[in-house]
Amino acid sequence: MNFVVPNFAPAYAELFVAAMGVVILLVAVFLKQSARPFAYLASLATLLGAAFITWYTMDGQVSYTFGNMYIDDLMGDVLKLMVYFAMAVTLLYSRGYLTDRKMDRPEYFVLATFATLGMMVMISANHLLTVYVGLEMLSLSLYALVAFDRDSARSTEAAMKYFVLGALASGLLLYGMSMVYGATGSLELSGIAQAIYHQAGNRTVLLFGLVFLMAGIAFKLGVVPFHMWVPDVYHGAPTAVTLLISTAPKLAAFAMTMRLLVNGLFELADQWQAMLMFLAIGSIVLGNIAAVAQSNIKRMLAYSGISHMGFMLLGLLSGVVDGDSRLALNAYGSAMFYAVVYVLMSLAAFGMVILLSRAGFEAENIDDFKGLNKRSPWFAAMMMFVMFSMAGVPFFVGFFAKLAVLQAAVAAGYVWLAVLAVMMSLIGAFYYLRVVKVMYFDDPLDASPISASADLKLVLSANGLAIAVFGLMPSQLIESCVAALAGSF
Amino acid sequence: MSDMQTLYLMVPLAPLAGAILAGLFGKTIGRAGSHVVTILGVAIAFVLSIVIYQDVQAGNTFNGTIYTWATSGNLKLEVGFLIDQLTVMMMLVVSFVSLMVHVYTIGYMHDDPGYQRFFSYISLFTFSMLMLVMSNNFLQLFFGWEAVGLVSYLLIGFWYTRPTAIYANMKAFLVNRVGDFGFLLGIGLVAANTGSLNYAEVFAQADQLAAKSIELFPGSPWLLITVICICLFIGAMGKSAQVPLHVWLPDSMEGPTPISALIHAATMVTAGIFMVARMSPLFELSDTALSFVLVIGATTALFMGFLGIIQNDIKRVVAYSTLSQLGYMTVALGVSAYSAAVFHLMTHAFFKALLFLGAGSVIIGMHHDQDMRNMGGLWKYMPITWITSLFGSLALIGFPFLSGFYSKDSIIEAVHFSHIPGAGYAYFCVIAGVFVTAFYSFRMYFLVFHGKERFGQPHDGHHDHHGDHEDEEVSHDHHHGLAPGQKPHESPWVVTVPLVLLAIPSVIIGFMTIEPMLMGEWFKGVIHMSEAHPVMEELASEFHGPVAMALHGFTTLPFMLAMAGVVIAWFFYMIAPGIPAAIQRIFKPIYLLLENKYFFDRFNEIFIAGGARLLGKGLWKGGDGMLIDGVAVNGTAALVGKVSRLSRLIQTGHIYQYAFVMIIGVFLLLTFWFTG
């Protein structure tokens, strides 16, 4: 057998993260209780190092390695940088929360590092198996993280649900992959694309495969009707883990969607766009309406996340109109912009929940935000920024994200869909504004001042301000999303 | 960004920084801190304006975008500057007058509890006005337009505990809304028909606009350009207080006097004049619009002057004279003498600010008594105020060699040369207006500074007292007028220095600048005049230098009329004070008409305000209360709530049901694609 040493260069960052994950795991085993910050600092350093590597190897070229199983392109690099950023912020926010609850075991950081690796693999996958490997690596880490608070019945129940449903979704995805392989004879995404282009394979089998692939993607994105796990897991998991699940993995899921649907099955755009529309409508409608009745802010944010993912799909489903893909770059760019903005907002929202929580007390209910303005006008303002932005109030970045995807939908001729989405986001405005209302107009339930570490306060403030500042100058972020995608198709 | 662009940007931003510091951190930096930062900000703006002026004179104009705010289709929403001769002149006037007013305010507002707030507002105003004049596009113009309106609203109601002030600021705001509506329609029409908001791009398409017509009512086509210009001018009517949207300006005297000087005389009210001059390439294409402008302006110039004659409140006299002078500027616009309008705008800014600040100084001396019937003989006690006010009044009535003479005489001559419809009426109005102006100005001058000393007597005058002293009104009478035996005194230096500094340009600026500004090439390429309206060229051909013009001025009809006005005022109020009272008795109906300001206010209150309230009440009870609140808002909210609670039931927590939903999802997707 002739073994060719593969070109490792496109995967330096992944190799680095993998090595560091193992190192942290091994070193932490031998460290004493008192050396706990090691894992935290080491995982932050890992993210920083990976960011350096990705940044300096980012050349805008598309390169393949490991026998075309792996792709390194601009979209991947940009998304990876976002993932590092989101993960770093997540770790920063989480640390105090974990310490307060005696949960700051090194495993948390090890698992977070491996989850990062999983996401990186998903983002750079050019092969059905690579997609699957990355996805499982991420998912298994997340299952374990959800159950991290071992003694909490709610936590373990959530983990169990997530695991069983995730296994089901993985099964569906694998089933879909096998059918696509059967129809096209290729596992490599570009090979699949070519095979479909040449009209090879059985179309019925291919469409069957597509439906099952879609189920797997939809589960990962958490869109209706594959969303049932989302509220329970967001609610049950420790807030630090909810924060992790609701941010960076959404970027990875976006990348997976792009790889599978756009890189692999672009010829079937007519079919998958219609499926995405079905998912998008369901998510936007159900997400917004169900969020109205929630009294738990983590559940509310879970439903809001479902509706946001629905909005993101509006961009993805507007790329091809009657076989004409001229609008595709803009549409997918808007979807990516939406995903990035959502991550930014979600970080700040769960960051606020963490900020208000302390040992023995979870600020989980909307009522816990009552009178926040009296306790801390600054953070009330930050939370208001986040809520306004999520609701899509103009001149916060969330408004431009919504505008971008709606413009894409209108450009593709789906005016009715845009109108429906706007009406649903009007309903959505209610529950976001309710949070603002209780913060400013209700009396606090407990008047104790907010105690949190300086780094959490600082980063959270920066996070909130970023939402306002990007709202004033959104064009650069939009343009860099479009530019990142330009090289990929 | 080039060095000059940084300078341009600093001009409006320096006052803004001052406003923010004084407004948000006023308590921290204190009273002195507040006036130091705001004055510093405005001084920077003024100095930079001089630098930019020299740069422009060297031939460096600028037109470009600084920041693109948003793009919508082909329409760009931008912040940009157009720095040319017109802009730089406005920048100098605005920043100079504003600087004087800032300094003066230290003295005038000395005891006011809202000291910091006041400085913050006037700096904010300076920022807004500079943004307005420096703009290179309609959007920013509109921003500045609304911002000065807002600050004006805040300042008229500065003493917000006084019901009259609140009434006045509401009125100013509402009347301006009417004008702004027209303005916005005009901007909308421009944007819709040219696809651009940038001046240069719009003007480049002016000829295409002129070719289009629009059906306002079915069957009666109007030239598009006429509609646009009239709409824009309606905006100018609101801001520059032209009949019938003038009603807010006299009431705005409820604000503190420095504001009356800065906003309601020298700068903000001239925004409309400036805007029309800026839009000269559009207005030149429509004779109908120009005639409309001309007639409105002429009416304002004469009939508002009449009202000045019967006022007893010193500030209101100056206010009506402002209305009348704004009418003159508008007339100049109407006869295509844009440069004359802008020239009068500039000279007027100086002498009117001077007159207002002089009136304020008198008010300080009189311990916040504003009624002229309680004054008299003040020249002895307030010499600086007296002399500077005399110069201001002479400039206002157009005494040869003073600045007002050059600008007003040019306007009258321009009207004389014009042939557009309405020019005859306008000529009569402006000529008659000269007499009226001289009469009321010197009526005020004689009543205040000469004659018998009438102060120190019991009275019930109109007070410019300070808001938070309301409860002292009973116990400390001296706060509102002089107590018996008390004498007025000259104001402190922070008040008199601005008076002197403003008196200088009031006297000489016309003499110095008429040749380059009006007759020369200063505005060439900036203000557009079509060949059909060669008014300025004819004016220039008659011009033989400022000295000759002034000497000739002694022999003309306007001068005779002005002198007649002065002499009659002297005779009526100095020699035979019984005559005005007798005239008032004999011509009772006319007096009543004037006293009620031609019943504009009454009409507005009954028909417009009353009608609006009736309509509003109907819509509120029927439309809003029943339909919108009852059915639409609460109805849908209840429905959403119900559906939402139902949707909670789906989330059972049972894992097998979750899995089942997923399978159903797959099943739905499958059937969807293999049956349909």
Side-chain angles (χ1 to χ4, degrees), chain B residues 385-445:
Chain B
T385 310
W386 166 53
I387 292 290
T388 50
S389 294
L390 176 61
F391 280 127
S393 301
L394 286 173
L396 172 61
I397 67 167
F399 194 81
F401 288 108
L402 298 188
S403 60
F405 162 74
Y406 290 103
S407 53
K408 195 187 273 186
D409 227 44
S410 308
I411 291 175
I412 294 170
E413 281 304 297
V415 179
H416 186 59
F417 286 129
S418 175
H419 303 293
I420 77 164
Y425 167 72
Y427 187 62
F428 166 75
C429 286
V430 293
I431 287 283
V434 170
F435 171 77
V436 177
T437 307
F439 182 74
Y440 67 68
S441 300
F442 274 81
R443 169 178 173 267
M444 176 179 95
Y445 171 76

Side-chain angles (χ1 to χ4, degrees), chain B residues 5 62-68 76-84 87 130-142 196-203 274 278-279:
Chain B
Q5 267 167 285
F62 173 79
N63 180 9
T65 301
I66 301 287
Y67 171 69
T68 303
K76 291 200 188 83
L77 307 180
E78 298 174 322
V79 179
F81 292 142
L82 168 58
I83 307 292
D84 60 12
T87 309
L130 288 168
M131 285 299 274
L132 191 160
V133 299
M134 291 170 77
S135 162
N136 78 340
N137 61 69
F138 284 92
L139 181 78
Q140 192 182 335
L141 176 72
F142 188 71
S196 173
L197 286 172
N198 189 291
Y199 294 158
E201 289 169 22
V202 171
F203 296 162
F274 164 78
R278 182 50 95 205
M279 300 301 144

Side-chain angles (χ1 to χ4, degrees), chain B residues 490-513:
Chain B
E490 185 58 282
S491 305
W493 69 269
V494 283
V495 172
T496 51
V497 166
L499 290 181
V500 174
L501 286 180
L502 280 167
I504 296 168
S506 300
V507 174
I508 62 169
I509 194 89
F511 183 81
M512 306 233 318
T513 57

